[in-house]
């Protein structure tokens, strides 16, 4: 029994290492927009960070491919075709370890990952949704259609910033 | 007068663009450990994110150079010489824009930058402090000695993880 437990831990650790190398990658395309997980997105440059309370209750990082980050830094709008913005998120959890050092409850860190979202710019392919394709993946698997239908309506209020909420954090 | 104001705004914008390209860089070394701001740190890969309440009241991103990220992903401890870990932080501010879309107060984003900290691994040079040199910069300028004396004592409780608090966020 001990041996089986050890084996399972070893397999889980290995899977963790593989998955963490460049983010969880799966070949399945998300519905509606047909977006796949872009290879190597976990290595992309940081655009900004945020915390959402409520049902989401997460800490998030927004990363961008080179086209995205270049456009952000140059203040260039609309984002050029080929731009991909990735939103990673993790459960918002208090850190007892950090709080002990600070001597008070104040530290919140990234727990287990929740899901990963992508916005992909292709002004022709996605003309009906402001030039953006949207996708959401959980554990490397695409989420169902219903979720993706709400993406564009939600992003419409920031049309003046090419439908992108996140600003670059210097 | 209008012309001068325009000129100042233009200079400030230009300075902002330059500074935001790869993080604020200054050639001054921080006291005690002699650490300078590493070139291009703003382009480094993401290790994790966090939120500190209390006096800090920030959102933070922890980035690493390639040596750091490789060691993290391989679960390799102690971190090898040449590892540099960067902690960027921004004021924790509510986003009225995001909250309007969500229909409730729930969104907190990165405001103005507070300061940037670095941990630099050199097991010989910094042998007295666990092999780590510490530095803190505000607006590209190193902070005074007093602040840096508190770094190592604060990191000692996580000696088992080579004095590094942050875990890699998958």
């Amino acid at each position: 029994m001990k041996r089986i437990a050890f084996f399972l831990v070893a397999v889980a650790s290995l899977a963790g290492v593989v998955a963490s190398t460049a983010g969880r990658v799966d070949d399945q395309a998300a519905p509606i927009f047909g977006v796949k997980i872009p290879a190597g997105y976990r290595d992309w440059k940081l655009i900004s960070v945020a915390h959402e309370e409520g049902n989401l209750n997460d800490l998030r990082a927004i990363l961008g491919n080179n086209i995205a980050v270049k456009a952000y830094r140059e203040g260039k709008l609309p984002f050029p075709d080929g731009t991909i913005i990735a939103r990673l998120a993790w459960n918002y959890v208090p850190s007892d370890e950090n709080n002990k050092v600070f001597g008070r409850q104040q530290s919140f860190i990234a727990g287990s990952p929740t899901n990963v979202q992508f916005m992909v710019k292709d002004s022709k392919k996605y003309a009906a949704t402001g030039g953006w394709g949207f996708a959401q993946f959980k554990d490397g698997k695409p989420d169902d259609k219903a979720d993706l239908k709400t993406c564009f309506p939600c992003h419409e209020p920031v049309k003046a910033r090419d439908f992108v909420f996140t600003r670059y954090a210097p």
Side-chain angles (χ1 to χ4, degrees), chain A:
Chain A
M1 187 61 195
K2 253 190 182 167
R3 258 180 142 171
I4 294 172
F6 173 78
F7 176 75
L8 289 176
V9 168
V11 169
S13 303
L14 184 66
V17 168
V18 171
S20 68
T21 303
R24 291 174 179 274
V25 172
D26 194 276
D27 203 36
Q28 279 182 264
I32 306 179
F33 302 99
V35 172
K36 290 185 180 182
I37 295 180
Y41 75 89
R42 185 61 184 75
D43 288 345
W44 289 354
K45 291 167 191 165
L46 179 75
I47 296 167
S48 193
V49 291
H51 164 48
E52 296 295 338
E53 291 183 346
N55 294 338
L56 294 168
N57 197 33
D58 66 39
L59 276 170
R60 39 185 58 200
I62 294 86
L63 310 182
N65 67 357
N66 285 333
I67 299 171
V69 172
K70 188 171 181 283
Y72 261 114
R73 289 177 178 173
E74 292 174 354
K76 193 177 170 179
L77 284 179
F79 287 93
D81 281 5
T83 293
I84 312 180
I85 298 169
R87 194 280 284 138
L88 292 73
W90 301 270
N91 287 306
Y92 182 74
V93 296
S95 169
D96 292 339
E97 189 173 57
N98 294 4
N99 290 337
K100 263 184 209 162
V101 174
F102 282 116
R104 59 182 171 195
Q105 303 291 315
Q106 73 161 56
S107 189
F108 297 85
I109 60 172
S112 54
T114 59
N115 58 39
V116 182
Q117 296 181 338
F118 297 97
M119 283 179 74
V120 177
K121 190 69 183 277
D122 185 329
S123 51
K124 282 178 191 165
K125 189 174 179 185
Y126 305 126
T129 47
W132 291 100
F134 298 86
Q136 180 171 299
F137 298 85
K138 190 171 170 57
D139 297 326
K141 302 283 175 199
D143 268 12
D144 69 13
K145 289 186 189 185
D147 287 323
L148 297 186
K149 280 181 189 160
T150 64
C151 295
F152 183 62
C154 211
H155 280 257
E156 276 195 304
V158 282
K159 186 179 177 182
R161 290 210 308 282
D162 197 21
F163 307 101
V164 175
F165 282 100
T166 303
R167 290 179 163 88
Y168 183 81

